[in-house]
Amino acid sequence: MKAQAYHILQTVFGYSDFRPVQLDIVMAALEGKDCLALLPTGGGKSICFQVPALSKEGICVVISPLIALMKDQVDNLKKRGVLAAAIYSGMGKREIDTVLDNCIYGNYKFLYVSPERLKTEIFIERFKRMKVNLIAVDEAHCISQWGYDFRPPYLEIAKIREYHQEIPCLALTASATLQVKQDIIDKLEMKNPAVYVRSFSRKNLSYSVRIAENKLEKALEILQKIPGSAIVYVRNRKGTKEIASILNQMGIPSTFYHAGLDNGLREARQNEWKQNRIRVMVATNAFGMGIDKPDVRLVLHLDLPENLENYYQEAGRAGRDEKKAYAVLITHQQDLSVLEERASIAYPPIDFLKKIYQSLANYFRIAVGSGFMSSFDFDLSSFVGTYNLDLLKSYNALKVLQEEGLLELNESFFSPSSMKFLVDQSKLYEFQIANAKLDPLVKVLLRTYGGELFMEFLKIQEGKLAKAMNLSEKDLIRMLDYMDQVGVIAYSKRKDQPQITFLTERYDAGKLPLNVKRIEERRQNAMHKAAEMIAYVKQQRLCRSNQISYYFGEENEEGCGICDVCLEQKRQISDDLLHLKKIIIKTLQGGTLFSIHTLRDVPGLDDERNAIKVLREMEEEGTIVATPDGIYKLKA
């Protein structure tokens, strides 16, 4: 089994060896054991389930809440010649149908699925018939209400395990406290799981906190001091553009990134930065997930993250090449007050939650008892403007409704257009004869995408097809729409707006099944996490790296030696030793001689341990000498 795992790692993924802990996790999965793996950001989690899945007959079902990450992994697997597919909110029923059929009858190795899909009948019935070899749960902390991104649909995973009881479950996350770790094991109903935790400590990453009234001025100073690729994180979209502009004016090549940009622009900027044509990416936390750029030398935060889990993940994007890197958080007192206030209003009153739910139902005209798994383009600004609602309070309410399993909000969403022929080749030929004007389009589709269009949904680019036919894109889309209406093709148009999905049939807002006790516990949890973040900023005695490790339940005896706290302690010790050296020289110059045994009699040398250390150093450098009876003298 081990030889086969290495063979797949090398031939499919092009790596010569596994990273620390990866092989243990792979072998646990191959031996049919349930397994929980905590690997830091950039620790190579995907390899841990992809290698064992490719080593066995059958398909691996990967549950992930991050649509962008799902699509990236599917695309990367396809580039390596591995058949993979994904199902997420916003896809049409016909497309989902085709994907699930391919996972039963085709030679597919991976099905990525968002947790919200697990309780739908269409998924469950097909899942029962799949030859599953592994269930992989990515971002597994989402299953715990004590985690920082609770998603109730994750609780459905234990239920679907019943249909393939002998199949192992591999849960992966980059950050989980001891409480969350136990919750993952319990909620996934793992049986005697193998648990692997790679140290949260990053020996090459220097953590620092800088208190500054002018945060941008301090950021410029740091960027000028630390060369190389950098990420600057800020909270709001407007700030990304403004700060990137100022950095460019100061001669630091920068660009900005947030979920509100269209997909093409996001991708172009991401590539510019990855290829080091742009040095600094100024971004909201929508940027960075799944991006493999090992040579980031600096991650700067100009706003406080909500919790240490987020900070650890975002800061951890620096120095993945194991070379020296820096994570610097620039803040001031007002930021701490704002973070506390944000945590206190993160869970709005129950009446307001019901009001938002009712407003959404009105906005999208959804009748009571309908709307199950319906997805809509969603512009939050337009929504709050229509009903005269507070923006932040409404956003928080939507997040709570998501935590309650009623809605799914995808803020960063892009899904390219896709299509598939619904008729066989003979019926298609009849259609071409009967619709001469559409015959050239059918020919271009077949020439461009081939016979696979009869088998599965393929991504299409209307712009390229229109150019090939010397048509406007608008005219081409109209032709595709017609072919969809008459049942010749299934055509799913691209989506690049944030999406909101109703995960249940619409309730009467007055009878909304909200778990009031859990919402209050989550509110207290958010405030506790904010307090931990503030404690991280304020404390000046404990090594920063160790403080993060302790938060996640790992104990380290020695400090990292490279964070701001450790460096300050080193400077302090150095200053203390220099002070002792001056006292020793002054005492000896004054004619007072002493030995190690009479140190305590010399004023200022009561720190015996450090005094002895300084005396030995002074002997070695030849500043003082000891007589045969142990009395110290200045060297002549």
Side-chain angles (χ1 to χ4, degrees), residues 512-567:
L512 207 56
L514 298 169
N515 188 330
V516 178
K517 181 173 180 283
R518 182 171 67 190
I519 290 170
E520 177 55 26
E521 286 172 345
R522 292 283 298 158
R523 190 179 77 81
Q524 294 295 334
N525 193 40
M527 292 178 71
H528 169 71
K529 287 182 181 297
E532 291 280 3
M533 190 72 234
I534 291 166
Y536 174 83
V537 169
K538 282 184 167 180
Q539 74 84 31
Q540 300 292 326
R541 294 191 309 278
L542 185 63
C543 161
R544 300 274 179 207
S545 182
N546 283 357
Q547 190 181 0
I548 289 170
S549 294
Y550 294 156
Y551 179 78
F552 291 117
E554 179 185 330
E555 292 191 14
N556 293 320
E557 289 181 14
E558 291 184 15
C560 68
I562 56 173
C563 72
D564 59 340
V565 174
C566 286
L567 291 173

Side-chain angles (χ1 to χ4, degrees), residues 295-313:
D295 63 341
V296 177
R297 299 272 65 86
L298 171 67
V299 171
L300 261 177
H301 278 80
L302 293 184
D303 290 307
L304 288 173
E306 278 97 357
N307 49 61
L308 275 170
E309 286 97 333
N310 282 348
Y311 182 63
Y312 175 71
Q313 287 224 24

